[in-house]
Amino acid sequence: VQLQASGGGLVQAGDSLIVSCIVSGSTFSSFVMGWFRQAPGKEREFVACILSSNSTYYADSVKGRFTISRDNTDNTVYLQMNSLKPEDTAVYYCGTRMAPQHYYQNYTSYDNWGQGTLVTVSS
């Protein structure tokens, strides 16, 4: 399984940005997909995840601002980020996890990772 994240960039506080992650292979629809982020000097932290059923779960810090979605026909997971804040600045990573379906919030629960895409929010 290979993952390719893209869409990061430099934006101003209050702006919106969407990052995406394309996953190779034919089992994408079976994966739990997660977005995590890692700021300099900090541990990788959970952002959001989406199950095969399209059920979603969010970290409190992004709830109401970020939306995770998936397109099983294109093997892609998206993270729509609105009302961005400087503290959202990080490298954003997507990860895959096979069954059982669960809201996995620990990065060690995910099996495969993309290379990450950098999101920088200026104040």
Side-chain angles (χ1 to χ4, degrees):
V1 177
Q2 292 185 324
L3 297 83
Q4 179 72 41
S6 62
L10 173 63
V11 297
Q12 293 187 332
D15 284 352
S16 296
L17 191 68
I18 184 165
V19 292
S20 61
C21 175
I22 299 175
V23 182
S24 66
S26 60
T27 56
F28 175 79
S29 61
S30 302
F31 289 141
V32 175
M33 295 300 305
W35 281 103
F36 286 70
R37 65 188 181 187
Q38 188 165 16
K42 294 188 176 182
E43 288 193 354
R44 191 169 297 191
E45 66 171 357
F46 171 77
V47 175
C49 64
I50 184 166
L51 309 188
S52 296
S53 64
N54 285 325
S55 295
T56 59
Y57 189 82
Y58 298 92
D60 288 343
S61 59
V62 306
K63 198 174 298 182
R65 298 189 298 124
F66 290 11
T67 302
I68 187 172
S69 61
R70 66 193 298 162
D71 185 339
N72 290 338
T73 62
D74 290 337
N75 283 15
T76 303
V77 61
Y78 302 95
L79 186 68
Q80 172 72 51
M81 303 181 288
N82 298 329
S83 303
L84 282 161
K85 304 175 181 180
E87 51 264 42
D88 295 318
T89 294
V91 177
Y92 283 71
Y93 297 91
C94 55
T96 68
R97 161 74 194 221
M98 287 296 289
Q101 298 285 314
H102 183 70
Y103 297 131
Y104 297 99
Q105 300 166 56
N106 191 318
Y107 71 88
T108 62
S109 298
Y110 289 77
D111 303 311
N112 300 286
W113 294 95
Q115 85 289 359
T117 186
L118 176 62
V119 174
T120 304
V121 184
S122 63
S123 58

